[in-house]
Amino acid sequence: MTRTFLNRILLLIALLAGSTTVIQGAETATSILDRASAKIRSDKSIAATYTISADGHLHSGTLTIAGDRFILTSPQISSWYDGKTQWTYSTQTGEVNITEPTPEELQQVNPFAIINSFRKLYKASLLKSPATEKKIKLT
């Protein structure tokens, strides 16, 4: 799983959370991500289906987050984390990797950890997008 791929999933979560809240005044990338983070923390779980275009390829699948646990499924990979152990299955190789990721490793793969640490790890900026969407770039 690449960091870019997970960042795009993170943006999907931000869009999902942002679509349920009406904001008065000027919106910023930070305010959108803050709302997404609050939504994830307050809900028992949050699920989304996604299609992402990256490097000329389409990636689609589902993502479910419940607290610090997550399940990510796509035709290429399935990954799930129970709060301690992470299993990652590659459909290409037919192999399952089982790890107990360190906090640093989780910062790179857990969508919840990424969205909660965006202030420390990323500079967030809004990109031009249609009125029905919010596109955020994390650098």
Side-chain angles (χ1 to χ4, degrees), residues 58-111:
L58 287 178
H59 302 279
S60 61
T62 60
L63 172 66
T64 303
I65 299 174
D68 65 348
R69 296 165 172 84
F70 68 90
I71 299 172
L72 173 71
T73 58
S74 73
Q76 300 83 14
I77 196 165
S78 293
S79 184
W80 53 103
Y81 177 69
D82 68 1
K84 180 181 178 190
T85 305
Q86 181 176 347
W87 295 263
T88 304
Y89 170 70
S90 168
T91 56
Q92 185 178 18
T93 64
E95 295 178 351
V96 175
N97 291 313
I98 303 171
T99 60
E100 288 186 12
T102 65
E104 293 79 22
E105 291 169 328
L106 281 174
Q107 288 290 1
Q108 295 180 12
V109 298
N110 184 334

